[in-house]
Amino acid sequence: MELEDIVEILKSDPEKVIPELLEDVRKQYGEVPYIMNFMKDLPEIFIPKTLYDNSIMREFKNLDQETVELISIGVASALRCEHCLKMHLRIAKRKGISKEKIFSAIMIGASLSNAAVLAESTRALASEYPDENGKDKEEEKEDCCDPDCEVCNIAGANVK
C-alpha cells in the first residue's frame, strides 16, 4: 500500500473505510480475525492498526506471503497464543502451505521459546547462586580464550 493510499484512507469517512478494510482482509485471509471484529466500532484504533498490520503482514517486499505466514505460525507457537495459532494455521492451509512446512515453523517457534525460558532461568539461577558453580574467580579468568578477546573483555572474564 502506497503512502498516498494511506492518506486517502485516513481522509475518508470511517463508516465507509471500515467495511472496505474488513472485506479486504476477508479476501486476503479468508476470514476476519476476532480482534478486528472486536475493534471495528473504534475507528480511531481500528483504522491505524489495520493499516499498520497491513504494512507488516502484506506489504513486505523482501518476504513472500508463505514465509510471512510461517513466521506468524512460529511466533504464535512461541507465544503460546492459541487463537492466533489456529487462525494462522487456517490461513496457511487455505494458502496451500504444506503440513510439513507448518510443522517446521512450529518446531522453530518451540525451540526459540524453550531457549528463551532456559536463558532467562539459568541466568536467574546463577545470580542467586553465584559461587556454587564449582570454580573460583581465578579459575574463571583462566578460561578466557585470549587476553585481548573482545567477547571475554565485555563479559568481564579478563578483569584482573
Side-chain angles (χ1 to χ4, degrees), residues 54-69:
N54 183 64
S55 297
I56 300 298
M57 300 296 284
R58 294 172 47 191
E59 297 295 332
F60 269 134
K61 305 297 182 215
N62 299 320
L63 297 174
D64 61 88
Q65 287 300 303
E66 179 177 297
T67 302
V68 171
E69 209 51 54

Side-chain angles (χ1 to χ4, degrees), residues 87-101:
M87 187 195 80
H88 286 289
L89 288 172
R90 290 191 303 270
I91 293 168
K93 187 175 181 181
R94 280 194 288 272
K95 290 183 177 281
I97 301 173
S98 73
K99 185 178 179 180
E100 292 78 16
K101 285 183 178 181

Side-chain angles (χ1 to χ4, degrees), residues 62-81:
N62 299 320
L63 297 174
D64 61 88
Q65 287 300 303
E66 179 177 297
T67 302
V68 171
E69 209 51 54
L70 291 170
I71 290 169
S72 298
I73 289 168
V75 170
S77 297
L79 294 175
R80 303 179 83 176
C81 180

Side-chain angles (χ1 to χ4, degrees), residues 24-70:
D24 183 57
V25 169
R26 187 183 327 280
K27 284 179 185 173
Q28 180 67 23
Y29 298 117
E31 64 185 276
V32 175
Y34 167 82
I35 296 167
M36 294 184 87
N37 275 319
F38 187 88
M39 291 190 313
K40 70 184 176 191
D41 296 327
L42 303 167
E44 69 280 4
I45 296 172
F46 176 85
I47 294 171
K49 176 156 179 18
T50 301
L51 293 174
Y52 173 78
D53 288 350
N54 183 64
S55 297
I56 300 298
M57 300 296 284
R58 294 172 47 191
E59 297 295 332
F60 269 134
K61 305 297 182 215
N62 299 320
L63 297 174
D64 61 88
Q65 287 300 303
E66 179 177 297
T67 302
V68 171
E69 209 51 54
L70 291 170

